[in-house]
Amino acid sequence: MRQMIVAGNWKMNGTIDETESLINDLLAGNSKNDKVKVVVCPPYTALLTASKLLDGSHISLGAQDMSEHEKGAFTGEISPRMLLTVGAGFVILGHSERRQYHAETDKLVNAKVKLALSTGLTPIICVGELLSEREEGLTEVVVGAQVAGTLSGLTAADLKRVVIAYEPVWAIGTGKTATPKMAQEVHAFIREKLAVIDKAAAEVVPILYGGSVKPDNAERLHRQPDIDGSLVGGASLKADDFIAIINAV
Ligand code: 13P
């Protein structure tokens, strides 16, 4: 059995007041589901506030990115140890918005993945194709290269500690969700790629789907055998919607 995970990526949303209010609504609402690990990923500035409110609760904390360096003269960067000490257990790495707006490459993401693992954080590694790549029939080529590149050099033991998120770029924030069949095909393909590295690890690595997941499509997506949860953007900012997704899974 693989761990089911629903993670909320708040992106650049969440002042301290908004963070307190959203976390309190999640804790007061029906967000506890024994079959699902729930993670929220607020912006850096709200992590400590979120961490204090979530302490001892069923909701885990994650960050949205981190530096590939341990410490030092890297102005504006946040180290994995800083995240760990503020109470984060997860970190999203290689999100398409980081790739698109900050020119992050698979090589850089790979360095971050290794450092996250050695620091004790669980990386949620994002992969996914652009619309033009899907239209050209390149989905497997692109996603296959991202999986191989970001996981390069990991041992089987390391591989068992990662989470993958398949987020087709054309489905992010657009309201266009991949159909359950389209998503399942790519999830199964990713699992095959993981099995090339290590068969046993491929069976336990959760592969989340991300891209316009909403309460009304979550159940259909999660009926697919290789979809082990969601990475939710917009709908994670509304407590009722996020709770509905958790319970649909
Ligand atoms: P949306 O759910 O807003 O499409 O965002 C998905 C995403 O990018 C999560 O990381």
Side-chain angles (χ1 to χ4, degrees):
M1 273 294 280
R2 284 186 288 274
Q3 173 70 59
M4 299 291 282
I5 300 172
V6 173
N9 175 8
W10 293 10
K11 307 193 179 184
M12 199 172 70
N13 298 287
T15 60
I16 297 299
D17 286 354
E18 288 162 349
T19 298
E20 282 173 350
S21 154
L22 181 47
I23 300 253
N24 283 331
D25 287 350
L26 290 175
L27 292 174
N30 185 24
S31 61
K32 189 163 164 40
N33 178 329
D34 290 341
K35 299 201 176 87
V36 182
K37 175 167 266 311
V38 180
V39 183
V40 292
C41 305
Y44 293 130
T45 48
L47 284 173
L48 185 59
T49 301
S51 180
K52 287 179 178 163
L53 291 170
L54 293 174
D55 190 30
S57 80
H58 60 284
I59 302 181
S60 302
L61 188 66
Q64 299 173 17
D65 186 32
M66 55 167 238
S67 172
E68 72 276 29
H69 302 287
E70 275 179 61
K71 64 191 295 189
F74 301 100
T75 302
E77 293 290 289
I78 302 285
S79 79
R81 185 148 297 282
M82 292 170 185
L83 299 179
L84 199 69
T85 54
V86 86
F90 291 80
V91 60
I92 298 170
L93 296 176
H95 191 279
S96 64
E97 288 149 17
R98 301 293 315 169
R99 294 174 185 265
Q100 188 178 352
Y101 305 128
H102 301 272
E104 292 205 2
T105 60
D106 290 331
K107 193 162 179 260
L108 177 72
V109 178
N110 179 242
K112 293 186 180 190
V113 167
K114 288 175 174 160
L115 188 57
L117 287 168
S118 68
T119 309
L121 294 166
T122 300
I124 302 176
I125 306 162
C126 301
V127 298
E129 80 287 3
L130 304 170
L131 181 59
S132 57
E133 292 164 340
R134 175 164 282 268
E135 286 173 348
E136 286 171 48
L138 294 175
T139 299
E140 291 195 353
V141 174
V142 171
V143 172
Q146 290 173 335
V147 170
T150 57
L151 300 178
S152 172
L154 262 61
T155 63
D158 283 342
L159 193 59
K160 286 184 183 153
R161 295 172 49 214
V162 311
V163 176
I164 309 270
Y166 169 57
E167 300 204 308
V169 179
W170 49 270
I172 296 177
T174 58
K176 287 185 198 152
T177 325
T179 63
K181 183 170 172 288
M182 280 158 98
Q184 167 58 26
E185 280 168 6
V186 182
H187 282 233
F189 169 75
I190 292 171
R191 207 173 299 288
E192 278 168 30
K193 296 290 290 182
L194 298 178
V196 173
I197 309 174
D198 186 79
K199 259 199 156 74
E203 286 308 311
V204 300
V205 171
I207 305 178
L208 316 184
Y209 171 79
S212 297
V213 176
K214 307 283 178 219
D216 63 358
N217 59 28
E219 189 183 335
R220 271 179 296 132
L221 284 162
H222 291 89
R223 280 188 193 286
Q224 301 299 317
D226 288 293
I227 300 184
D228 308 313
S230 308
L231 183 54
V232 186
S236 73
L237 298 172
K238 294 184 200 129
D240 288 350
D241 284 0
F242 194 53
I243 288 171
I245 292 168
I246 293 164
N247 291 310
V249 171

